[in-house]
């Protein structure tokens, strides 16, 4: 695997392309608009035109989709038909299930959910679980937030508005007392404190990826929650449910981004914990980080951009180098945390 096409050259897609280029891959960036200021070749292609995409992907080994989740099934089908490796960042559960089905007959590796959450947090969660003789619970929390919040919402849309709205409105898979359950989003609110900063965590969709299926028989309690500054979840429940914006998802995303546009000084909070027994003793293990923007290749990179791009590029590195399989379906929980952190791009998480 040497030639990689990236679909969607927003902040994350552009950075992923630069990181792949710096890691020795030949990169082709594909977007609706042409770009000339990047260190790799770019092509202007209508990414919603599947036949045009099929032609554009005919001479590559792998494709990384950084497109909105609703375009990914079409891209995955093309990758399957052409025998390419496929990677994406989706949090959308139906999309992942469709890709899992394609993987049954794929010639390349099908690897959705390779970002931050789902993605890196699943790798960390699996690593913590493996440290116990008997693990009774694993809790994963992630929040991508402004460092200096303003207003009652305390938020800025540094991530895809389509993805955020999807997470806030779709049902959430959890393990509770050994049973797989689907629960409502924006519920089970709890307080989390990281480095003296108080946050609230609440259920959102998709962050666990395939982990409920993997650990259904071994870890009786598992859930994923998004973290925000206190008060956020009440406002979002009012917006989506009392004002009925849940029935107008596209417009809801536009309103929210217009009200809370992206910021450059963001922070990504990660809090993953597991409890269980080790040598007969009850213990708790945690992985907690507050990750801020970095300068990479001479440019300021937001925390959400570099954490997401570094995660997926580290996984692509591992596939190229033979650390991960080259066919079938890749679950994030099957990735070794130590091997991930040993890659050129995964090492940023260790720092």
């Amino acid at each position: 695997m040497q030639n990689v096409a990236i679909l969607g050259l927003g902040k994350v897609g552009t950075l992923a392309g630069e990181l792949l280029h710096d890691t020795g891959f030949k990169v082709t960036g594909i977007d609706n608009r042409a770009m000339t200021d990047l260190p790799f070749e770019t092509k202007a292609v209508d990414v919603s035109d599947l036949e045009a995409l099929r032609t554009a992907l005919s001479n590559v080994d792998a494709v990384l989709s950084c497109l909105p989740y609703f375009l990914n099934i079409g891209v995955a089908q093309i990758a399957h038909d052409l025998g390419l490796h496929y990677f994406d960042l989706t949090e959308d559960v139906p999309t992942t299930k469709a890709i899992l089905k394609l993987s049954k007959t794929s010639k390349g590796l099908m690897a959705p959910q390779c970002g931050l959450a789902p993605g890196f947090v699943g790798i960390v969660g699996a690593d913590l679980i493996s440290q116990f003789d008997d693990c009774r619970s694993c809790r994963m929390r992630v929040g991508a937030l402004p460092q200096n919040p303003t207003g009652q919402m305390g938020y800025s849309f540094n991530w895809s508005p389509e993805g955020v709205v999807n997470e806030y409105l779709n049902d959430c898979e959890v393990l509770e007392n050994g049973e797989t359950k689907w629960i409502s989003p924006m519920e089970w609110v709890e307080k989390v404190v990281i480095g003296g900063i108080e946050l609230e965590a609440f259920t959102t969709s998709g962050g666990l990826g395939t982990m409920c299926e993997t650990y259904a028989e071994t870890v009786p309690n598992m859930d994923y929650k998004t973290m925000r500054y206190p008060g956020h979840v009440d406002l979002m429940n009012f917006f989506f449910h009392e004002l009925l914006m849940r029935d107008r998802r596209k417009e809801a995303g536009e309103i929210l981004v217009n009200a809370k546009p992206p910021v450059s000084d963001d922070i990504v909070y990660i809090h993953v914990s597991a409890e269980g027994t080790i040598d007969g003793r009850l213990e708790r293990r945690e992985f907690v980080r507050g990750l801020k923007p970095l300068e990479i290749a001479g440019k300021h990179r937001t925390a959400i951009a570099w954490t997401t791009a570094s995660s997926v590029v580290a996984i692509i590195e591992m596939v190229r180098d033979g650390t991960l399989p080259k066919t079938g379906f890749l679950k994030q929980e099957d990735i070794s945390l130590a091997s991930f952190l040993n890659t050129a791009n995964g090492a940023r998480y260790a720092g």
Side-chain angles (χ1 to χ4, degrees):
M1 183 176 63
Q2 189 62 34
N3 300 323
V4 181
I6 297 184
L7 307 185
L9 296 176
K11 288 184 179 180
V12 172
T14 296
L15 178 55
E18 292 177 277
L19 297 180
L20 285 166
H21 174 78
D22 291 345
T23 314
F25 291 89
K26 180 181 179 182
V27 180
T28 303
I30 297 174
D31 196 270
N32 287 341
R33 53 202 170 89
M35 299 184 183
T36 58
D37 57 346
L38 297 175
F40 52 86
E41 178 188 4
T42 65
K43 296 180 179 179
V45 178
D46 180 356
V47 295
S48 65
D49 184 339
L50 296 183
E51 287 309 309
L53 272 183
R54 186 181 298 272
T55 300
L57 296 176
S58 60
N59 293 312
V60 301
D61 306 314
V63 56
L64 164 58
S65 176
C66 297
L67 300 173
Y69 73 90
F70 52 81
L71 294 173
N72 283 337
I73 293 178
V75 177
Q77 183 67 61
I78 293 171
H80 174 275
D81 295 346
L82 296 177
L84 310 179
H85 300 302
Y86 171 85
F87 306 87
D88 74 28
L89 311 170
T90 190
E91 78 294 324
D92 186 63
V93 175
T95 297
T96 299
K97 288 184 176 180
I99 293 169
L100 174 61
K101 185 175 180 180
L102 288 173
S103 72
K104 305 294 185 183
T105 55
S106 63
K107 294 181 181 178
L109 181 68
M110 306 299 282
Q113 304 181 320
C114 294
L116 173 61
F120 179 70
V121 290
I123 300 172
V124 173
D127 182 75
L128 292 183
I129 291 168
S130 72
Q131 298 174 30
F132 292 89
D133 299 325
D134 181 37
C135 184
R136 71 180 186 183
S137 68
C138 184
R139 315 291 189 185
M140 284 156 271
R141 284 89 177 93
V142 172
L145 295 164
Q147 291 185 47
N148 306 295
T150 60
Q152 296 182 62
M153 194 184 299
Y155 190 64
S156 292
F157 276 81
N158 279 34
W159 186 247
S160 157
E162 296 92 349
V164 173
V165 171
N166 203 38
E167 292 174 353
Y168 281 16
L169 293 180
N170 289 355
D171 286 346
C172 313
E173 189 178 17
V174 302
L175 291 172
E176 185 178 32
N177 297 327
E179 294 184 30
T180 300
K181 297 181 178 180
W182 290 90
I183 64 171
S184 297
M186 296 193 287
E187 301 288 350
W188 291 13
V189 182
E190 67 179 7
K191 181 172 78 172
V192 179
V193 178
I194 300 177
I197 303 298
E198 182 177 334
L199 305 166
E200 64 182 15
F202 51 89
T203 53
T204 53
S205 174
L208 288 179
T210 55
M211 294 189 74
C212 285
E213 178 184 356
T214 299
Y215 293 103
E217 303 297 324
T218 55
V219 182
N221 296 285
M222 179 180 292
D223 59 56
Y224 172 83
K225 296 181 181 180
T226 287
M227 293 186 290
R228 299 287 186 254
Y229 293 113
H232 181 94
V233 70
D234 286 342
L235 292 170
M236 290 296 94
N237 269 307
F238 173 80
F239 177 73
F240 282 114
H241 299 300
E242 191 153 339
L243 299 185
L244 301 181
M245 293 305 297
R246 64 175 181 265
D247 300 323
R248 301 155 67 184
R249 292 192 180 201
K250 185 175 186 299
E251 186 178 354
E254 292 170 353
I255 290 171
L256 291 169
V257 172
N258 183 64
K260 294 293 179 181
V263 296
S264 58
D265 291 326
D266 65 334
I267 186 166
V268 167
Y269 288 110
I270 300 173
H271 192 297
V272 184
S273 62
E275 296 179 354
T277 55
I278 301 175
D279 296 329
R281 300 186 309 274
L282 186 61
E283 294 194 22
R284 176 182 173 90
R285 301 268 171 104
E286 296 179 333
F287 180 101
V288 183
R289 297 287 189 275
L291 303 171
K292 295 183 178 181
L294 294 177
E295 184 174 303
I296 301 175
K299 297 179 183 178
H300 176 95
R301 314 291 185 165
T302 62
I304 188 59
W306 79 252
T307 53
T308 304
S310 295
S311 181
V312 68
V313 174
I315 291 168
I316 295 173
E317 280 186 71
M318 295 173 74
V319 175
R320 177 192 63 185
D321 298 340
T323 312
L324 291 173
K326 290 182 169 61
T327 58
F329 184 85
L330 178 67
K331 294 182 177 181
Q332 299 302 305
E333 55 268 29
D334 289 338
I335 300 171
S336 159
L337 177 61
S339 298
F340 177 96
L341 296 176
N342 197 44
T343 64
N345 291 283
R348 292 188 186 90
Y349 277 99

